Amino acid sequence: MRTFGKFSLLAVIATLTLTTKTHAVCGVCTAAALGGVGLARWLKIDDLVTGLWIGGLLVSVTGWTINWLNKKNIKFKGRKILVTLIYYGLVLVSFYTQGLITHPGNKYIGTAYLGIDKLFLSIIVGTIFFIIAILAYEVIKKKNDGHAWFPFQKVAMPIGTLAILSVVAYLITK
């Protein structure tokens, strides 16, 4: 749990220090994703739900870092992949070393999850669906002459997607 607390603190510091005028994902999304992770852990919500928010947070922080590198004109081949690998590596390795990912109670046995660790699986699912929601927002905005359909749609789509997935994951675990 200490590693998770340190990761959360580092994520907050990164969020506050990497703030730029243009973001891949807005600060409200990052704060909401971080809040979701912290709240889920505090409430002892199943790791299948928690991982979804961790995946969203990792996408957000990765996007912010890449935008920050772009703003500072720091460009090198493979930087997007490197930044992504660093963030995911730091989180997954720390979870692994602390036994959060390898915990026997976190494995689903059966055809639905094929024995994959549910925290790891839900981080991947959260990542994929957060990215899909961001891309869907961009498509909607482009088709609507550069405007969102409603205020804060850029926030609502990724966070709403994670919220819906969280309800589904919660119902699966009950």
Side-chain angles (χ1 to χ4, degrees):
M1 286 303 227
R2 286 187 210 157
T3 302
F4 182 78
K6 289 177 187 176
F7 169 71
S8 297
L9 179 61
L10 285 173
V12 169
I13 291 169
T15 298
L16 295 174
T17 58
L18 297 178
T19 303
T20 62
K21 191 170 182 174
T22 306
H23 306 292
V25 178
C26 69
V28 177
C29 290
T30 301
L34 181 61
V37 172
L39 182 63
R41 281 311 222 165
W42 182 68
L43 294 173
K44 299 185 187 325
I45 294 174
D46 194 89
D47 281 342
L48 195 60
V49 175
T50 305
L52 296 169
W53 292 91
I54 295 169
L57 177 64
L58 287 170
V59 170
S60 186
V61 172
T62 299
W64 275 34
T65 302
I66 291 167
N67 278 348
W68 182 81
L69 290 171
N70 289 341
K71 184 177 180 186
K72 298 295 181 181
N73 205 25
I74 301 172
K75 297 181 180 181
F76 53 90
K77 188 173 182 163
R79 69 184 154 73
K80 290 179 182 179
I81 292 170
L82 182 62
V83 168
T84 302
L85 289 175
I86 288 171
Y87 279 122
Y88 279 83
L90 286 171
V91 170
L92 294 175
V93 167
S94 66
F95 283 7
Y96 177 79
T97 59
Q98 295 298 311
L100 294 174
I101 287 183
T102 57
H103 191 275
N106 266 1
K107 295 230 187 261
Y108 273 123
I109 312 250
T111 57
Y113 298 99
L114 305 173
I116 299 171
D117 185 274
K118 62 184 169 180
L119 181 58
F120 178 75
L121 175 66
S122 64
I123 289 172
I124 301 304
V125 171
T127 295
I128 291 168
F129 278 90
F130 201 81
I131 291 169
I132 289 170
I134 292 167
L135 295 174
Y137 167 75
E138 292 300 326
V139 168
I140 289 168
K141 185 176 168 185
K142 185 177 179 181
K143 288 185 175 185
N144 198 29
D145 294 325
H147 300 289
W149 285 342
F150 57 89
F152 301 106
Q153 183 178 0
K154 184 176 185 177
V155 175
M157 286 184 68
I159 298 304
T161 300
L162 290 181
I164 291 167
L165 286 173
S166 295
V167 169
V168 170
Y170 176 77
L171 293 173
I172 287 172
T173 61
K174 294 297 165 200

PDB file of all heavy atoms in Angstrom, residues 101-124:
ATOM      1  N   ILE A 101      -0.201  -7.285  -7.727  1.00  0.00           N
ATOM      2  CA  ILE A 101      -0.596  -7.937  -8.976  1.00  0.00           C
ATOM      3  C   ILE A 101      -0.502  -9.453  -8.860  1.00  0.00           C
ATOM      4  O   ILE A 101      -1.282 -10.165  -9.447  1.00  0.00           O
ATOM      5  CB  ILE A 101       0.250  -7.410 -10.161  1.00  0.00           C
ATOM      6  CG1 ILE A 101      -0.216  -6.002 -10.491  1.00  0.00           C
ATOM      7  CG2 ILE A 101       0.132  -8.298 -11.382  1.00  0.00           C
ATOM      8  CD1 ILE A 101       0.464  -5.370 -11.667  1.00  0.00           C
ATOM      9  N   THR A 102       0.394  -9.953  -8.066  1.00  0.00           N
ATOM     10  CA  THR A 102       0.579 -11.402  -7.959  1.00  0.00           C
ATOM     11  C   THR A 102      -0.232 -12.031  -6.829  1.00  0.00           C
ATOM     12  O   THR A 102      -0.111 -13.222  -6.583  1.00  0.00           O
ATOM     13  CB  THR A 102       2.068 -11.721  -7.746  1.00  0.00           C
ATOM     14  OG1 THR A 102       2.519 -11.028  -6.562  1.00  0.00           O
ATOM     15  CG2 THR A 102       2.895 -11.299  -8.938  1.00  0.00           C
ATOM     16  N   HIS A 103      -1.033 -11.255  -6.157  1.00  0.00           N
ATOM     17  CA  HIS A 103      -1.826 -11.767  -5.035  1.00  0.00           C
ATOM     18  C   HIS A 103      -2.769 -12.867  -5.524  1.00  0.00           C
ATOM     19  O   HIS A 103      -3.499 -12.673  -6.494  1.00  0.00           O
ATOM     20  CB  HIS A 103      -2.629 -10.621  -4.412  1.00  0.00           C
ATOM     21  CG  HIS A 103      -3.262 -10.991  -3.122  1.00  0.00           C
ATOM     22  ND1 HIS A 103      -4.480 -11.627  -3.063  1.00  0.00           N
ATOM     23  CD2 HIS A 103      -2.848 -10.835  -1.850  1.00  0.00           C
ATOM     24  CE1 HIS A 103      -4.797 -11.832  -1.807  1.00  0.00           C
ATOM     25  NE2 HIS A 103      -3.829 -11.349  -1.049  1.00  0.00           N
ATOM     26  N   PRO A 104      -2.765 -14.031  -4.871  1.00  0.00           N
ATOM     27  CA  PRO A 104      -3.604 -15.147  -5.322  1.00  0.00           C
ATOM     28  C   PRO A 104      -5.104 -14.812  -5.363  1.00  0.00           C
ATOM     29  O   PRO A 104      -5.837 -15.336  -6.189  1.00  0.00           O
ATOM     30  CB  PRO A 104      -3.338 -16.252  -4.292  1.00  0.00           C
ATOM     31  CG  PRO A 104      -2.073 -15.880  -3.630  1.00  0.00           C
ATOM     32  CD  PRO A 104      -1.933 -14.395  -3.729  1.00  0.00           C
ATOM     33  N   GLY A 105      -5.557 -13.923  -4.497  1.00  0.00           N
ATOM     34  CA  GLY A 105      -6.959 -13.532  -4.484  1.00  0.00           C
ATOM     35  C   GLY A 105      -7.354 -12.654  -5.659  1.00  0.00           C
ATOM     36  O   GLY A 105      -8.529 -12.387  -5.874  1.00  0.00           O
ATOM     37  N   ASN A 106      -6.377 -12.196  -6.416  1.00  0.00           N
ATOM     38  CA  ASN A 106      -6.646 -11.323  -7.563  1.00  0.00           C
ATOM     39  C   ASN A 106      -6.756 -12.089  -8.869  1.00  0.00           C
ATOM     40  O   ASN A 106      -6.898 -11.477  -9.912  1.00  0.00           O
ATOM     41  CB  ASN A 106      -5.540 -10.272  -7.709  1.00  0.00           C
ATOM     42  CG  ASN A 106      -5.895  -8.982  -7.019  1.00  0.00           C
ATOM     43  OD1 ASN A 106      -6.949  -8.860  -6.415  1.00  0.00           O
ATOM     44  ND2 ASN A 106      -5.017  -8.019  -7.094  1.00  0.00           N
ATOM     45  N   LYS A 107      -6.670 -13.384  -8.836  1.00  0.00           N
ATOM     46  CA  LYS A 107      -6.745 -14.168 -10.068  1.00  0.00           C
ATOM     47  C   LYS A 107      -8.134 -14.752 -10.210  1.00  0.00           C
ATOM     48  O   LYS A 107      -8.673 -15.332  -9.293  1.00  0.00           O
ATOM     49  CB  LYS A 107      -5.727 -15.297 -10.051  1.00  0.00           C
ATOM     50  CG  LYS A 107      -4.311 -14.794 -10.057  1.00  0.00           C
ATOM     51  CD  LYS A 107      -3.547 -15.498 -11.116  1.00  0.00           C
ATOM     52  CE  LYS A 107      -2.093 -15.148 -11.052  1.00  0.00           C
ATOM     53  NZ  LYS A 107      -1.666 -14.185 -11.949  1.00  0.00           N
ATOM     54  N   TYR A 108      -8.686 -14.550 -11.398  1.00  0.00           N
ATOM     55  CA  TYR A 108      -9.941 -15.202 -11.724  1.00  0.00           C
ATOM     56  C   TYR A 108      -9.600 -16.516 -12.406  1.00  0.00           C
ATOM     57  O   TYR A 108      -8.788 -16.548 -13.308  1.00  0.00           O
ATOM     58  CB  TYR A 108     -10.780 -14.359 -12.682  1.00  0.00           C
ATOM     59  CG  TYR A 108     -11.663 -13.357 -11.998  1.00  0.00           C
ATOM     60  CD1 TYR A 108     -11.571 -12.018 -12.303  1.00  0.00           C
ATOM     61  CD2 TYR A 108     -12.597 -13.769 -11.061  1.00  0.00           C
ATOM     62  CE1 TYR A 108     -12.389 -11.101 -11.683  1.00  0.00           C
ATOM     63  CE2 TYR A 108     -13.421 -12.855 -10.434  1.00  0.00           C
ATOM     64  CZ  TYR A 108     -13.312 -11.518 -10.753  1.00  0.00           C
ATOM     65  OH  TYR A 108     -14.113 -10.611 -10.143  1.00  0.00           O
ATOM     66  N   ILE A 109     -10.202 -17.568 -11.962  1.00  0.00           N
ATOM     67  CA  ILE A 109      -9.999 -18.853 -12.594  1.00  0.00           C
ATOM     68  C   ILE A 109     -11.257 -19.146 -13.387  1.00  0.00           C
ATOM     69  O   ILE A 109     -12.350 -19.067 -12.859  1.00  0.00           O
ATOM     70  CB  ILE A 109      -9.770 -19.958 -11.549  1.00  0.00           C
ATOM     71  CG1 ILE A 109      -8.742 -19.497 -10.559  1.00  0.00           C
ATOM     72  CG2 ILE A 109      -9.502 -21.278 -12.227  1.00  0.00           C
ATOM     73  CD1 ILE A 109      -7.426 -20.099 -10.552  1.00  0.00           C
ATOM     74  N   GLY A 110     -11.099 -19.446 -14.620  1.00  0.00           N
ATOM     75  CA  GLY A 110     -12.266 -19.739 -15.441  1.00  0.00           C
ATOM     76  C   GLY A 110     -12.102 -19.157 -16.827  1.00  0.00           C
ATOM     77  O   GLY A 110     -11.121 -18.490 -17.127  1.00  0.00           O
ATOM     78  N   THR A 111     -13.070 -19.403 -17.644  1.00  0.00           N
ATOM     79  CA  THR A 111     -12.956 -18.992 -19.037  1.00  0.00           C
ATOM     80  C   THR A 111     -13.076 -17.489 -19.221  1.00  0.00           C
ATOM     81  O   THR A 111     -12.525 -16.939 -20.160  1.00  0.00           O
ATOM     82  CB  THR A 111     -14.034 -19.690 -19.885  1.00  0.00           C
ATOM     83  OG1 THR A 111     -15.319 -19.380 -19.329  1.00  0.00           O
ATOM     84  CG2 THR A 111     -13.825 -21.178 -19.904  1.00  0.00           C
ATOM     85  N   ALA A 112     -13.784 -16.799 -18.333  1.00  0.00           N
ATOM     86  CA  ALA A 112     -13.994 -15.362 -18.517  1.00  0.00           C
ATOM     87  C   ALA A 112     -12.688 -14.580 -18.411  1.00  0.00           C
ATOM     88  O   ALA A 112     -12.462 -13.629 -19.143  1.00  0.00           O
ATOM     89  CB  ALA A 112     -15.005 -14.832 -17.509  1.00  0.00           C
ATOM     90  N   TYR A 113     -11.812 -14.941 -17.496  1.00  0.00           N
ATOM     91  CA  TYR A 113     -10.585 -14.182 -17.288  1.00  0.00           C
ATOM     92  C   TYR A 113      -9.321 -14.996 -17.514  1.00  0.00           C
ATOM     93  O   TYR A 113      -8.233 -14.472 -17.408  1.00  0.00           O
ATOM     94  CB  TYR A 113     -10.577 -13.568 -15.882  1.00  0.00           C
ATOM     95  CG  TYR A 113     -11.709 -12.615 -15.699  1.00  0.00           C
ATOM     96  CD1 TYR A 113     -12.867 -13.008 -15.057  1.00  0.00           C
ATOM     97  CD2 TYR A 113     -11.643 -11.331 -16.206  1.00  0.00           C
ATOM     98  CE1 TYR A 113     -13.928 -12.139 -14.914  1.00  0.00           C
ATOM     99  CE2 TYR A 113     -12.696 -10.453 -16.071  1.00  0.00           C
ATOM    100  CZ  TYR A 113     -13.832 -10.862 -15.422  1.00  0.00           C
ATOM    101  OH  TYR A 113     -14.870 -10.003 -15.290  1.00  0.00           O
ATOM    102  N   LEU A 114      -9.462 -16.278 -17.780  1.00  0.00           N
ATOM    103  CA  LEU A 114      -8.336 -17.151 -18.098  1.00  0.00           C
ATOM    104  C   LEU A 114      -7.228 -17.117 -17.052  1.00  0.00           C
ATOM    105  O   LEU A 114      -6.055 -17.275 -17.367  1.00  0.00           O
ATOM    106  CB  LEU A 114      -7.769 -16.797 -19.482  1.00  0.00           C
ATOM    107  CG  LEU A 114      -8.769 -16.820 -20.637  1.00  0.00           C
ATOM    108  CD1 LEU A 114      -8.123 -16.280 -21.901  1.00  0.00           C
ATOM    109  CD2 LEU A 114      -9.302 -18.222 -20.864  1.00  0.00           C
ATOM    110  N   GLY A 115      -7.576 -16.856 -15.811  1.00  0.00           N
ATOM    111  CA  GLY A 115      -6.592 -16.834 -14.743  1.00  0.00           C
ATOM    112  C   GLY A 115      -5.700 -15.609 -14.740  1.00  0.00           C
ATOM    113  O   GLY A 115      -4.678 -15.587 -14.076  1.00  0.00           O
ATOM    114  N   ILE A 116      -6.065 -14.555 -15.464  1.00  0.00           N
ATOM    115  CA  ILE A 116      -5.277 -13.317 -15.505  1.00  0.00           C
ATOM    116  C   ILE A 116      -5.571 -12.509 -14.246  1.00  0.00           C
ATOM    117  O   ILE A 116      -6.710 -12.436 -13.794  1.00  0.00           O
ATOM    118  CB  ILE A 116      -5.624 -12.485 -16.762  1.00  0.00           C
ATOM    119  CG1 ILE A 116      -5.288 -13.280 -18.018  1.00  0.00           C
ATOM    120  CG2 ILE A 116      -4.890 -11.157 -16.763  1.00  0.00           C
ATOM    121  CD1 ILE A 116      -5.790 -12.638 -19.295  1.00  0.00           C
ATOM    122  N   ASP A 117      -4.543 -11.893 -13.694  1.00  0.00           N
ATOM    123  CA  ASP A 117      -4.712 -11.046 -12.528  1.00  0.00           C
ATOM    124  C   ASP A 117      -5.712  -9.932 -12.841  1.00  0.00           C
ATOM    125  O   ASP A 117      -5.576  -9.226 -13.835  1.00  0.00           O
ATOM    126  CB  ASP A 117      -3.362 -10.438 -12.128  1.00  0.00           C
ATOM    127  CG  ASP A 117      -3.465  -9.652 -10.855  1.00  0.00           C
ATOM    128  OD1 ASP A 117      -3.816  -8.452 -10.921  1.00  0.00           O
ATOM    129  OD2 ASP A 117      -3.207 -10.231  -9.791  1.00  0.00           O
ATOM    130  N   LYS A 118      -6.715  -9.770 -11.993  1.00  0.00           N
ATOM    131  CA  LYS A 118      -7.778  -8.817 -12.308  1.00  0.00           C
ATOM    132  C   LYS A 118      -7.331  -7.367 -12.216  1.00  0.00           C
ATOM    133  O   LYS A 118      -7.853  -6.519 -12.946  1.00  0.00           O
ATOM    134  CB  LYS A 118      -9.019  -9.077 -11.464  1.00  0.00           C
ATOM    135  CG  LYS A 118      -8.853  -8.945  -9.988  1.00  0.00           C
ATOM    136  CD  LYS A 118     -10.153  -9.345  -9.305  1.00  0.00           C
ATOM    137  CE  LYS A 118      -9.979  -9.488  -7.816  1.00  0.00           C
ATOM    138  NZ  LYS A 118     -11.229  -9.877  -7.183  1.00  0.00           N
ATOM    139  N   LEU A 119      -6.359  -7.040 -11.377  1.00  0.00           N
ATOM    140  CA  LEU A 119      -5.854  -5.669 -11.341  1.00  0.00           C
ATOM    141  C   LEU A 119      -5.129  -5.349 -12.647  1.00  0.00           C
ATOM    142  O   LEU A 119      -5.370  -4.312 -13.272  1.00  0.00           O
ATOM    143  CB  LEU A 119      -4.924  -5.457 -10.142  1.00  0.00           C
ATOM    144  CG  LEU A 119      -4.336  -4.064  -9.976  1.00  0.00           C
ATOM    145  CD1 LEU A 119      -5.423  -3.004  -9.859  1.00  0.00           C
ATOM    146  CD2 LEU A 119      -3.424  -4.021  -8.752  1.00  0.00           C
ATOM    147  N   PHE A 120      -4.284  -6.259 -13.086  1.00  0.00           N
ATOM    148  CA  PHE A 120      -3.568  -6.071 -14.349  1.00  0.00           C
ATOM    149  C   PHE A 120      -4.549  -5.994 -15.518  1.00  0.00           C
ATOM    150  O   PHE A 120      -4.453  -5.096 -16.366  1.00  0.00           O
ATOM    151  CB  PHE A 120      -2.573  -7.218 -14.566  1.00  0.00           C
ATOM    152  CG  PHE A 120      -1.825  -7.131 -15.859  1.00  0.00           C
ATOM    153  CD1 PHE A 120      -0.801  -6.218 -16.025  1.00  0.00           C
ATOM    154  CD2 PHE A 120      -2.149  -7.964 -16.924  1.00  0.00           C
ATOM    155  CE1 PHE A 120      -0.114  -6.126 -17.224  1.00  0.00           C
ATOM    156  CE2 PHE A 120      -1.466  -7.884 -18.126  1.00  0.00           C
ATOM    157  CZ  PHE A 120      -0.445  -6.962 -18.273  1.00  0.00           C
ATOM    158  N   LEU A 121      -5.504  -6.912 -15.561  1.00  0.00           N
ATOM    159  CA  LEU A 121      -6.498  -6.934 -16.631  1.00  0.00           C
ATOM    160  C   LEU A 121      -7.291  -5.633 -16.670  1.00  0.00           C
ATOM    161  O   LEU A 121      -7.498  -5.052 -17.738  1.00  0.00           O
ATOM    162  CB  LEU A 121      -7.448  -8.120 -16.448  1.00  0.00           C
ATOM    163  CG  LEU A 121      -8.619  -8.203 -17.422  1.00  0.00           C
ATOM    164  CD1 LEU A 121      -8.111  -8.467 -18.842  1.00  0.00           C
ATOM    165  CD2 LEU A 121      -9.590  -9.293 -16.983  1.00  0.00           C
ATOM    166  N   SER A 122      -7.720  -5.163 -15.520  1.00  0.00           N
ATOM    167  CA  SER A 122      -8.538  -3.950 -15.524  1.00  0.00           C
ATOM    168  C   SER A 122      -7.724  -2.698 -15.832  1.00  0.00           C
ATOM    169  O   SER A 122      -8.268  -1.730 -16.367  1.00  0.00           O
ATOM    170  CB  SER A 122      -9.307  -3.805 -14.205  1.00  0.00           C
ATOM    171  OG  SER A 122      -8.434  -3.644 -13.116  1.00  0.00           O
ATOM    172  N   ILE A 123      -6.428  -2.679 -15.541  1.00  0.00           N
ATOM    173  CA  ILE A 123      -5.581  -1.558 -15.967  1.00  0.00           C
ATOM    174  C   ILE A 123      -5.556  -1.505 -17.491  1.00  0.00           C
ATOM    175  O   ILE A 123      -5.694  -0.434 -18.092  1.00  0.00           O
ATOM    176  CB  ILE A 123      -4.155  -1.667 -15.383  1.00  0.00           C
ATOM    177  CG1 ILE A 123      -4.175  -1.400 -13.879  1.00  0.00           C
ATOM    178  CG2 ILE A 123      -3.197  -0.706 -16.088  1.00  0.00           C
ATOM    179  CD1 ILE A 123      -2.858  -1.679 -13.171  1.00  0.00           C
ATOM    180  N   ILE A 124      -5.405  -2.655 -18.121  1.00  0.00           N
ATOM    181  CA  ILE A 124      -5.397  -2.718 -19.586  1.00  0.00           C
ATOM    182  C   ILE A 124      -6.752  -2.282 -20.151  1.00  0.00           C
ATOM    183  O   ILE A 124      -6.830  -1.469 -21.079  1.00  0.00           O
ATOM    184  CB  ILE A 124      -5.032  -4.143 -20.072  1.00  0.00           C
ATOM    185  CG1 ILE A 124      -3.658  -4.564 -19.553  1.00  0.00           C
ATOM    186  CG2 ILE A 124      -5.102  -4.232 -21.592  1.00  0.00           C
ATOM    187  CD1 ILE A 124      -2.517  -3.639 -19.884  1.00  0.00           C
TER     188      ILE A 124
END
